[in-house]
Amino acid sequence: GAGVSQSPRYKVTKRGQDVALRCDPISGHVSLYWYRQALGQGPEFLTYFNYEAQQDKSGLPNDRFSAERPEGSISTLTIQRTEQRDSAMYRCASSLARTANEQFFGPGTRLTVL
Amino acid sequence: QKEVEQNSGPLSVPEGAIASLNCTYSDRVSQSFFWYRQYSGKSPELIMSIYSNGDKEDGRFTAQLNKASQYVSLLIRDSQPSDSATYLCAVKDLNTGNQFYFGTGTSLTVIP
């Protein structure tokens, strides 16, 4: 079956532009997580959803970052007025149930801000 | 966010040896513990989970948990070159939510 997909896989943008990163979780998965991973580091928690409800956004670095999952399936992470320090791999993961312990990661979106 | 610390390595072991990976965490209420493997340029994949004190074995992998010491480890027996990857420790606390917190990872190289 299809795994978690993310698009675009690579995004190069100029400083100050807005970007939208998309995550399509495994069908039927309730929970969806967003992470940011810098080179040589572990994934850094950003936010997560159960169905369409955003449960925790404490990991979002500042108010330029936002996320939504309006229909409880596809999610979009938006970064407004991008800065060079936003350059990283952005990873999405989904899990079958709220209390499920196995997450399935997508391939990530490599964001480069020039 | 929770503090999850790992030795960044790199750790090198000869083929067939035991690789030992360690992780400490800051929060005594953390309940669930995980080891992920991440090959270079790839996404993390779950290889072991452990919830109770003691050892849990799965093939060549053994996870060890000591909640009193806030310590979790992963042993890889009969290490193979295909085990060369970064190993990420993660913790989850059901009391405060279902978010996972990851360490920085330990890079392991198994030398043929």
Side-chain angles (χ1 to χ4, degrees), chain A residues 33 35 37 40-45 48 50 56 58-59 91 98-103 105-108, chain B residues 1 32 34 36 38 41-46 51 88 92 94 96-105:
Chain A
Y33 301 80
Y35 297 92
Q37 188 172 20
Q41 300 293 314
E44 174 193 7
F45 170 78
Y48 86 101
N50 288 332
D56 185 344
S58 64
R91 297 196 184 274
R98 185 180 64 84
T99 56
N101 286 316
E102 183 165 14
Q103 296 180 95
F105 280 84
Chain B
Q1 295 203 7
S32 304
F34 309 90
Y36 283 76
Q38 187 172 23
K42 301 296 186 181
S43 297
E45 56 178 336
L46 180 68
Y51 313 113
L88 298 162
K92 184 180 181 185
L94 294 176
T96 58
N98 284 303
Q99 53 271 57
F100 294 76
Y101 296 101
F102 286 82
T104 56

Side-chain angles (χ1 to χ4, degrees), chain A residues 19 52 65 90:
Chain A
V19 295
E52 72 281 359
F65 288 72
Y90 288 83

